[in-house]
Amino acid sequence: DADVTQTPRNRITKTGKRIMLECSQTKGHDRMYWYRQDPGLGLQLIYYSFDVKDINKGEISDGYSVSRQAQAKFSLSLESAIPNQTALYFCATSDLPQEAFFGQGTRLTVV
Amino acid sequence: QKEVEQNSGPLSVPEGAIASLNCTYSDRGSQSFFWYRQYSGKSPELIMFIYSNGDKEDGRFTAQLNKASQYVSLLIRDSQPSDSATYLCAVSNAGGTSYGKLTFGQGTILTVHP
């Protein structure tokens, strides 16, 4: 089983719908991250969490919200999806100063 | 100014050549620096990390860090077609409430042609 698991792997949704992307990890790391990647671009940080009670906005948090339900679970929600949120979304965990471990990614299409 | 900047490329090198990838960062207090490789449609995977000024070598890869210039680079020797990918520079912030925040550059697309 993967250390970092994202569900769903692919999702097509309609404009205005609420959608949740889920991430779970078995690494035992405190730090978890949600990134967005657009074609040909790097990873843009949406939200990050250093423990269950600590959640921080990244550089592109508008239109997104998160929930850290447990050390192992970090969910990303789009309250009202819009087409420009079509992207590849990655969840990651890390145990500073070690490397970040990434999930397989969720390809989201908003039509 | 973006916190982490890379030339987006594409960078094209012939097989067997040295590929040089560059990255600059804005937070002078940053302490940890990472290079990730990402194949199309896949997750990023770590190639190298470096914490101290100077060079760090691992096989065909060498990471170079110059904190005074806020510059980190990755050299790939004897480039192979399988090295063709997007290379992402990442920086871990040093202090304050964002300690440990991992910020990525936009990535450099590398193509190694036979």
Side-chain angles (χ1 to χ4, degrees):
Chain A
D1 288 340
D3 293 325
V4 183
T5 302
Q6 292 183 231
T7 56
R9 294 291 310 279
N10 291 281
R11 180 73 180 267
I12 300 174
T13 192
K14 294 183 177 181
T15 297
K17 293 291 187 180
R18 183 180 188 275
I19 182 170
M20 178 181 290
L21 309 183
E22 299 186 342
C23 177
S24 62
Q25 53 112 346
T26 59
K27 301 293 291 182
H29 293 163
D30 287 327
R31 292 174 171 81
M32 297 188 74
Y33 308 81
W34 274 105
Y35 291 93
R36 165 182 173 156
Q37 187 172 41
D38 295 285
L41 299 180
L43 299 170
Q44 295 176 278
L45 184 61
I46 306 172
Y47 272 94
Y48 59 106
S49 171
F50 289 166
D51 65 41
V52 175
K53 296 181 181 179
D54 179 71
I55 292 178
N56 305 277
K57 292 183 177 180
E59 51 191 317
I60 57 162
S61 60
D62 288 348
Y64 302 94
S65 63
V66 291
S67 173
R68 185 80 183 269
Q69 301 95 325
Q71 184 201 39
K73 296 183 181 296
F74 193 35
S75 301
L76 176 72
S77 293
L78 287 68
E79 297 300 326
S80 180
I82 57 177
N84 75 2
Q85 291 177 312
T86 293
L88 183 59
Y89 290 84
F90 286 105
C91 174
T93 75
S94 75
D95 187 14
L96 192 72
Q98 303 303 316
E99 67 178 291
F101 294 84
F102 285 83
Q104 315 95 309
T106 296
R107 189 169 298 280
L108 177 66
T109 303
V110 183
V111 298
Chain B
Q1 179 188 8
K2 286 181 67 68
E3 293 184 44
V4 181
E5 296 205 49
Q6 300 177 246
N7 290 326
S8 59
L11 174 65
S12 181
V13 300
E15 184 174 357
I18 295 175
S20 177
L21 305 164
N22 304 313
C23 174
T24 58
Y25 58 94
S26 61
D27 184 351
R28 184 169 290 277
S30 297
Q31 294 185 338
S32 305
F33 307 87
F34 305 85
W35 283 100
Y36 284 80
R37 178 177 61 200
Q38 185 181 26
Y39 294 112
S40 181
K42 302 297 185 181
S43 306
E45 55 181 342
L46 184 71
I47 301 175
M48 297 276 297
F49 62 87
I50 187 167
Y51 306 141
S52 303
N53 274 331
D55 295 357
K56 180 181 179 182
E57 185 174 320
D58 183 1
R60 295 186 296 112
F61 299 95
T62 299
Q64 300 174 316
L65 175 62
N66 183 327
K67 290 188 176 180
S69 300
Q70 296 174 240
Y71 175 92
V72 58
S73 65
L74 179 70
L75 301 178
I76 307 174
R77 291 182 299 280
D78 188 24
S79 296
Q80 301 296 309
S82 59
D83 294 326
S84 298
T86 297
Y87 289 80
L88 299 162
C89 172
V91 174
S92 182
N93 291 51
T97 57
S98 64
Y99 177 67
K101 183 179 77 168
L102 195 59
T103 303
F104 284 80
Q106 69 268 41
T108 297
I109 299 171
L110 173 66
T111 302
V112 181
H113 53 86

